[in-house]
Amino acid sequence: MENNTTTFMSSEEFLKHWQGHRRLTRRVIEAFPEKELFEFSIGGMRTFAQLVDELISIATPGLKEIITVTSNPLQEGKQTYSTKAEILKRWDEDTETIDQLWKEIPAQRFHETHKLFGQYEDRISSSLQYFVDNEIHHRGQGYVYLRALGIEPPFFWER
């Protein structure tokens, strides 16, 4: 097998890709009626507010762990949001923080191994891909909820 050192995606391109997903997830949050954001679920799944709390608990804290080379327990469910406005405010703050933190990760670190949240040991690049994959997965659940509520979700390709 040939060793090809051509980069598929730069660090900046990955950040742009991730932030595109964050913009779309934000629009999904906005599409929810206030009450249903916190109360509606199907088949025993968590509410979309709970799913978003998980995303908030992973993205910025995970980046901080990577930068500081620390590992702390996941703090999912520790935040209490009672309004959509509070969630959107936190989402926007974290989006800005991600842009700032991203500058502190040298590209060569992406291939290092890190134990995220004290339990998920993998290459940093794989953990970052997981952040995006997990967001897409939970946003898909949000799409199902919105459709069940008779609400047209945002087009998934408009990131």
Side-chain angles (χ1 to χ4, degrees), residues 7 25 30 60 65-66 70 75 99 125 152 156:
T7 301
T25 300
E30 287 177 319
T60 301
E65 280 195 14
I66 290 166
T70 58
Q75 296 298 308
D99 280 339
S125 60
E152 182 73 24
F156 74 89

Side-chain angles (χ1 to χ4, degrees), residues 29-45:
I29 297 166
E30 287 177 319
F32 269 85
E34 186 89 21
K35 181 178 185 285
E36 284 75 6
L37 178 64
F38 292 93
E39 296 179 9
F40 187 80
S41 73
I42 297 174
M45 292 191 299

